[in-house]
Amino acid sequence: MTGTTPPGRGSGGEAEREPRAATTSGTGTGTTGSSPVPSAVPVLTDGAPPPPTRRFWSVRRVPAALLAAVILGCAGLLLYDVAAVRADRSAMAWRRDLADDLATRPLDNAWVLAGAALAVLLGLWLLVLALTPGLRAVLPMRGAHSDLRAGLDREAAALTLRDRAMEVSGVQSVRVAVGRTKVGARAVSHFRDLDEVRADVERALETGIDALGLAHRPTLSVRVARPPRKG
């Protein structure tokens, strides 16, 4: 009688083992299975340079409307006169006189030179309007997004800086002029030393200019004087 050895026991049997779950580790946490884990999460960087800020361009509706009206009137009048001549009617007197003057008047005539100079000046004026942005009263502000632009009126900036300068002890009155590249302040102090008042006014205006958030920081010029004597 021979004995049998159960599977898994003894030296001759094959051992049955349960498969173990494979463990993979990602960055920071461990997950079970073979699915890939992203190593990092993309985030926006805070140190990205701001987009370039340009001046605001004026639409210049008034010059464009005037030029369009003049061209439309002249073209319409000339077209009417040409159509009248084609219809076997006499041309207008102004066109006959103009044609005779252009045919007989010399080029060095004073009226011809004056008309040419006027045409040149008008052309230069139109070129300047087309190539310059305009809107000098609006100061561009810093922006973090290219699709969002903000501007500050120069008079509002001057009023804000004037209020800051008036908070300085010893300042009786102050006038602030804000330009595109320079801020000028003239203060009147009725007590305290002028150098101390000037330093305090400069410090207050420097802080105020930084708070305006302008794209191009203007330079600062401060003058402090005593009030004029009466009598």
Side-chain angles (χ1 to χ4, degrees):
M1 182 174 178
T2 61
T4 61
T5 304
R9 296 179 181 179
S11 60
E14 296 179 357
E16 294 181 355
R17 296 182 177 87
E18 295 180 357
R20 295 181 180 179
T23 303
T24 59
S25 60
T27 57
T29 56
T31 56
T32 302
S34 59
S35 59
V37 179
S39 59
V41 178
V43 294
L44 295 176
T45 58
D46 296 334
T53 304
R54 298 180 177 87
R55 289 177 55 188
F56 291 88
W57 280 77
S58 174
V59 294
R60 294 187 172 95
R61 295 185 177 90
V62 175
L66 291 177
L67 181 61
V70 170
I71 293 178
L72 182 61
C74 295
L77 188 60
L78 182 60
L79 182 61
Y80 173 79
D81 191 50
V82 171
V85 172
R86 292 292 183 179
D88 297 333
R89 294 184 181 180
S90 61
M92 292 184 180
W94 66 268
R95 195 160 74 92
R96 294 196 303 266
D97 296 339
L98 180 60
D100 294 338
D101 288 341
L102 293 177
T104 58
R105 195 180 297 271
L107 295 179
D108 57 351
N109 185 267
W111 289 104
V112 175
L113 295 178
L118 181 61
V120 170
L121 292 178
L122 181 60
L124 291 177
W125 178 60
L126 294 177
L127 287 177
V128 169
L129 292 181
L131 299 178
T132 54
L135 289 181
R136 299 176 62 89
V138 179
L139 301 175
M141 303 177 65
R142 292 191 300 267
H145 304 281
S146 58
D147 56 347
L148 180 62
R149 300 185 62 191
L152 181 63
D153 188 77
R154 291 198 304 180
E155 294 184 359
L159 183 60
T160 302
L161 296 179
R162 176 185 173 276
D163 293 340
R164 283 184 174 269
M166 288 297 297
E167 296 176 357
V168 176
S169 176
V171 175
Q172 183 180 9
S173 63
V174 62
R175 296 176 59 184
V176 179
V178 178
R180 293 193 301 111
T181 59
K182 185 178 180 180
V183 174
R186 294 184 178 182
V188 176
S189 176
H190 57 293
F191 70 94
R192 292 183 65 195
D193 184 69
L194 293 183
D195 294 335
E196 295 179 359
V197 176
R198 183 183 298 106
D200 293 344
V201 171
E202 288 181 354
R203 190 179 303 109
L205 292 182
E206 291 282 354
T207 305
I209 292 175
D210 293 336
L212 293 179
L214 301 178
H216 306 286
R217 195 178 191 278
T219 59
L220 178 62
S221 175
V222 178
R223 296 181 180 180
V224 181
R226 293 296 184 190
R229 294 181 180 179
K230 297 181 180 180

